Amino acid sequence: QSIVTGTVFNDVNGNGIQDSGEGGISGLTVTIVKSGGSPLITTTLGNGSYELTVPSPPGTYTISSEVPSGFSATTLTSREISLVAGDSFSLNFGFQEQGVITGSVFNDVNGNGAQDLNESGLSGVTVTLKDSGGTTITSTETVSDGSFSFGSRDAGSYIIDATQPSGFIATTSTSTSVVVPAGGSANAQF
């Protein structure tokens, strides 16, 4: 038999290595299977660790981890390994928590560039999310209170563009850059 162990962890800084302070992710499925064979499945413990006992090596096996909801992989989620009897193999899987971008488009009645209490949001305004290079990722429209949201965003820099509504004059830039931290949020106001 062979033993395969490892940890599925929250890769806060996104470097693909479990650094000090980066805890494990519990309750995830880790599977190992030999071509043409039956899968062996386990679930990560509270500290994110797992252990699989492979009863009949040698051979090439594929080991994979479930991707947790709201996270993006910072390491491969599936990998082929070769095992022989008596092997001990360790493989970690890293995932970084995704963030969210929110904001609003508002009627700046007094023209001061800030949304004051008496200034309502504008619905139906197209807001476009772009990567840091300016390539469009997706678009949405503001809802009745003028708000918008782009959920499940990887950590990184983004550009947000708001289409100037007909009959209105922009009192803020219609394009802004935001940085989404891992598991955090960024906000843009237009």
Side-chain angles (χ1 to χ4, degrees):
Q1 71 182 16
S2 294
I3 306 291
V4 179
T5 61
T7 301
V8 179
F9 65 97
N10 182 2
D11 192 3
V12 176
N13 63 8
N15 69 352
I17 299 168
Q18 187 175 18
D19 299 307
S20 177
E22 293 181 333
I25 303 173
S26 66
L28 296 180
T29 301
V30 178
T31 305
I32 190 166
V33 64
K34 185 176 184 178
S35 180
S38 298
L40 298 171
I41 300 169
T42 191
T43 302
T44 57
L45 301 176
N47 64 358
S49 68
Y50 70 89
E51 181 175 304
L52 291 158
T53 302
V54 181
S56 56
T60 300
Y61 293 79
T62 300
I63 183 167
S64 58
S65 172
E66 166 189 6
V67 178
S69 178
F71 285 75
S72 292
T74 61
T75 63
L76 295 175
T77 59
S78 182
R79 184 169 160 198
E80 282 193 356
I81 61 173
S82 293
L83 295 175
V84 295
D87 267 355
S88 180
F89 193 89
S90 181
L91 181 63
N92 293 339
F93 297 98
F95 299 96
Q96 187 176 53
E97 193 172 3
Q98 295 177 316
V100 64
I101 300 168
T102 60
S104 65
V105 178
F106 61 94
N107 182 4
D108 192 8
V109 176
N110 63 9
N112 70 351
Q115 186 173 14
D116 299 312
L117 291 177
N118 64 335
E119 295 175 333
S120 61
L122 298 174
S123 66
V125 177
T126 300
V127 181
T128 303
L129 175 66
K130 299 178 178 181
D131 65 20
S132 60
T135 301
T136 297
I137 298 169
T138 190
S139 293
T140 191
E141 285 192 356
T142 57
V143 295
S144 61
D145 66 355
S147 66
F148 64 88
S149 178
F150 296 107
S152 300
R153 296 291 117 201
D154 291 340
S157 298
Y158 295 89
I159 299 167
I160 312 296
D161 291 340
T163 302
Q164 185 171 318
S166 179
F168 289 87
I169 297 172
T171 60
T172 66
S173 174
T174 57
S175 182
T176 190
S177 295
V178 297
V179 176
V180 178
S185 63
N187 189 273
Q189 303 292 318
F190 300 99

